[in-house]
Amino acid sequence: MYSEKVLDHFMNPRNVGEIEDANGVAQVGNAKCGDIMKMYLKIENGIIVDAKFKTFGCGAAVATSSMATEMVKGKTIEEALQITNKAVAEALDGLPPNKLHCSVLAEEAIKAAIEDYLSKQKQKV
Amino acid sequence: MQGRSVYFDHAATTPLKREVLDEMMPYLTEQYGNPSTIYKLGREAKKAIENARERVAKALNADVQEIFFTSGGTESDNWALKGVAFANKDKGRHIITTTIEHHAVLHPLKYLEGLGFEVTYVPVEPNGIVDPQKIKEAIRDDTILISVMLANNEIGTIQPVKQIAKIAKEKGIIVHTDAVQAVGQIPVDVKDLGVDLLSLSAHKFYGPKGVGALYIKKGTKIHPFSHGGAQERNRRAGTENVAGIVGLGKAIELATANLSEYANRLQKLRDKLIDGVLSKIDHVRLNGDRHNRLPNNANFSFEFIEGESLLLMLDMKGIAASSGSACTSGSLDPSHVLLAIGLEHEVAHGSLRITLGEDNTEEDIDYLLEVLPEIVSRLREMSPLYEKVKKGGN
């Protein structure tokens, strides 16, 4: 059902936790549907220097969160905004069709955390 | 205890017993005759089927003429519901069931609703047991059938089928029970229960997959399941699964021979498991009545975590179990049974079903009690829902 890569990212998730001084934070999904992803980004000079997550969800939800945080690290905001759910799923060597919504959630989490950062920046101006 | 391999999903299926396979083997090899033929090879096969029918009838306290072989529990349930509905539609079109039935009952009932039948789904109490009085209140003048499972497949609760059958008999209503999870776990006596139809499946009690039986009380008005040859006294056409039927006969004989000894042993293990989980882990609840449940079933909900993740981590530790999580089924809604007993969606998502079998030992329970708290803790550390609790909220 799951690729070796999905299982690896589920069993050994990268970047689990919170960033105390994160400047982009967002939570997507809802507990009723069984998936919540909370993403923390630390952005400096337009570059994502650190990313962490907390996830309530199935194996695919944890693995896509882990992979998404790996993919955004070191990228500019513009580059991170280009990351699609398909790219996250492909980086995990694919997901079962009924689990693709987890990768959609990962894409949404990245975008929402960046939006949070951008809105905070606007407030500063 | 690392490297252990423990199977805790006996409600899903059980391993085939060696003695059962030994009895089946000749009918898969040299005794391959079609039981509908008249020469010796066929007669031997027919004899084997009738011997199995006697064993099933004896196990259920039924008459041999009342046992019909099927392809399993799903077919038995479908046949009972559609067969009775079609044969009795002139009398009425109303059927009563509960909200916690297996999909093998709920889905054919939905199908019947599409054909103009009306179904009342009686809710269960928070302990997962239906109140017979509520069944009684649902009865109408045009009620033709009541279908209530004997034991629930997810939370293991045992339903008051005997009382329900008594109520139904006073009104002349036919009663079916899905006993797929009950046979081999608790005593099942069709006369004592007072039911008209009862479904069972061999692979739930160490028999082969793909074979089951439907008990149909003599005189019950029911349409045939399939049309074709004259097999199963013209009620279920198709060449019989001879080896499977032989296996069913042997398996039910073995499963009912030492039932109380088996059930007592598993019940002790189950209680040790329940006590252990409730004392070692916080924010957990046992689903289903604490005592009126199958001796081999324990079903828990762990708050703040999701069931499939729990299953995957248990699997990594060599433990096979089940969950009522939506993510294991491909839908977004968790188990209808867990929702029916009043669990909130987010709590139902974090459920774990442990069903014990005869190979399980006290060491298996110790192993689970050793690894489960670690796994729950690890997943909670990862869960944004657990943050509040950790930070002193609730």
Side-chain angles (χ1 to χ4, degrees):
Chain A
M1 182 188 177
Y2 286 140
S3 68
E4 286 299 317
K5 218 161 179 180
V6 170
L7 289 174
D8 176 39
H9 274 264
F10 170 71
M11 286 308 291
N12 309 293
R14 284 65 150 174
N15 315 308
V16 176
E18 300 169 39
I19 301 173
E20 288 299 323
D21 57 346
N23 48 9
V25 182
Q27 184 168 302
V28 297
N30 84 58
K32 203 177 168 192
C33 297
D35 286 308
I36 290 183
M37 274 183 205
K38 192 168 184 181
M39 194 165 284
Y40 301 81
L41 299 179
K42 174 77 179 161
I43 301 171
E44 287 173 1
N45 302 319
I47 294 171
I48 299 168
V49 294
D50 199 8
K52 287 196 184 292
F53 78 91
K54 283 209 166 182
T55 289
F56 160 78
C58 62
V62 172
T64 53
S65 307
S66 167
M67 181 55 84
T69 50
E70 284 287 89
M71 287 170 83
V72 296
K73 278 204 286 189
K75 286 202 168 55
T76 64
I77 292 171
E78 291 74 22
E79 286 169 338
L81 285 170
Q82 299 303 311
I83 294 171
T84 61
N85 76 298
K86 204 174 159 218
V88 177
E90 276 172 7
L92 287 165
D93 293 341
L95 286 169
N98 63 334
K99 300 286 184 172
L100 280 173
H101 71 274
C102 296
S103 63
V104 173
L105 221 53
E107 181 189 325
E108 284 173 3
I110 296 169
K111 290 193 162 75
I114 292 174
E115 271 170 31
D116 178 57
Y117 166 77
L118 292 174
S119 71
K120 281 174 183 159
Q121 293 303 109
K122 270 186 197 167
Q123 283 166 17
K124 281 184 186 171
V125 174
Chain B
M1 287 199 227
Q2 294 299 319
R4 286 181 73 96
S5 180
V6 184
Y7 185 73
F8 278 143
D9 202 15
H10 293 84
T13 197
T14 54
L16 185 70
K17 267 191 185 165
R18 171 56 63 178
E19 307 96 293
V20 175
L21 178 65
D22 288 345
E23 285 217 9
M24 291 169 66
M25 278 307 280
Y27 300 95
L28 291 163
T29 52
E30 68 268 19
Q31 294 284 353
Y32 54 83
N34 185 325
S36 295
T37 54
I38 57 162
Y39 42 81
K40 191 169 179 243
L41 205 57
R43 292 199 310 269
E44 291 295 333
K46 180 79 179 160
K47 213 162 97 185
I49 289 174
E50 295 316 313
N51 179 36
R53 203 183 307 277
E54 277 176 34
R55 284 169 155 176
V56 176
K58 191 177 168 204
L60 300 178
N61 192 24
D63 189 283
V64 284
Q65 300 296 311
E66 296 173 320
I67 303 300
F68 295 83
F69 293 115
T70 67
S71 67
T74 295
E75 183 184 311
S76 296
D77 286 342
N78 269 262
W79 182 9
L81 300 168
K82 294 179 201 168
V84 168
F86 295 153
N88 295 274
K89 65 178 188 293
D90 293 340
K91 201 175 151 199
R93 284 174 169 259
H94 181 237
I95 298 167
I96 298 170
T97 191
T98 77
T99 49
I100 62 163
E101 299 298 310
H102 191 276
H103 285 144
V105 166
L106 295 177
H107 289 177
L109 288 177
K110 281 280 166 218
Y111 170 77
L112 288 169
E113 283 183 283
L115 296 177
F117 288 88
E118 282 182 67
V119 181
T120 300
Y121 300 88
V122 178
V124 296
E125 302 304 304
N127 66 353
I129 296 171
V130 70
D131 179 353
Q133 186 59 30
K134 289 192 177 159
I135 297 279
K136 190 176 183 176
E137 286 161 13
I139 293 173
R140 308 189 325 205
D141 289 343
D142 61 341
T143 305
I144 52 170
L145 172 66
I146 297 174
S147 180
V148 175
M149 67 199 330
L150 191 49
N152 184 267
N153 52 306
E154 291 189 41
I155 55 174
T157 46
I158 298 165
Q159 304 300 320
V161 172
K162 186 175 175 176
Q163 287 166 264
I164 291 165
K166 196 164 175 272
I167 292 165
K169 287 304 112 187
E170 287 165 8
K171 308 268 183 185
I173 300 165
I174 295 170
V175 178
H176 164 249
T177 190
D178 172 355
V180 166
Q181 292 293 339
V183 174
Q185 300 293 337
I186 56 172
V188 176
D189 179 324
V190 290
K191 289 196 175 71
D192 182 53
L193 285 172
V195 295
D196 302 291
L197 303 116
L198 181 143
S199 306
L200 60 87
S201 177
H203 75 108
K204 305 294 188 182
F205 46 85
Y206 308 93
K209 291 172 184 64
V211 62
L214 180 64
Y215 158 78
I216 306 174
K217 189 180 172 183
K218 211 178 282 177
T220 305
K221 247 179 110 182
I222 184 167
H223 274 193
F225 177 75
S226 57
H227 302 85
Q231 293 92 350
E232 296 299 290
R233 296 189 299 290
N234 289 309
R235 283 179 156 176
R236 200 260 186 189
T239 302
E240 297 90 338
N241 171 8
V242 182
I245 289 168
V246 168
L248 166 58
K250 180 65 176 175
I252 203 166
E253 187 177 82
L254 292 172
T256 49
N258 298 306
L259 190 56
S260 63
E261 191 186 317
Y262 168 87
N264 284 340
R265 194 178 80 77
L266 289 198
Q267 194 168 313
K268 275 184 194 145
L269 292 181
R270 178 201 71 186
D271 290 342
K272 177 184 166 118
L273 168 66
I274 292 173
D275 292 340
V277 168
L278 297 182
S279 66
K280 280 173 177 263
I281 302 173
D282 56 12
H283 295 95
V284 59
R285 61 166 282 174
L286 175 73
N287 296 316
D289 192 86
R290 177 74 171 80
H291 303 289
N292 196 7
R293 66 190 307 131
L294 292 176
N296 74 332
N297 176 294
N299 188 309
F300 306 98
S301 285
F302 301 94
E303 287 182 58
F304 322 115
I305 61 173
E306 201 277 333
E308 193 211 71
S309 289
L310 193 55
L311 290 192
L312 283 172
M313 286 209 174
L314 285 170
D315 185 36
M316 301 291 173
K317 296 281 186 183
I319 296 172
S322 172
S323 170
S325 148
C327 274
T328 56
S329 66
S331 88
L332 284 179
D333 282 328
S335 140
H336 67 282
V337 175
L338 299 176
L339 297 180
I341 59 169
L343 262 65
E344 291 177 352
H345 275 68
E346 39 271 63
V347 178
H349 280 297
S351 296
L352 175 71
R353 179 184 73 178
I354 301 288
T355 44
L356 309 172
E358 63 179 20
D359 289 338
N360 288 132
T361 62
E362 205 152 336
E363 286 73 32
D364 292 341
I365 304 295
D366 290 337
Y367 180 54
L368 181 67
L369 290 174
E370 181 193 314
V371 301
L372 189 61
E374 290 171 16
I375 291 174
V376 170
S377 166
R378 197 175 158 199
L379 287 169
R380 282 180 176 167
E381 284 302 315
M382 215 189 289
S383 169
L385 300 176
Y386 192 56
E387 280 176 9
K388 279 184 197 166
V389 178
K390 217 178 134 194
K391 288 172 183 167
N394 206 335

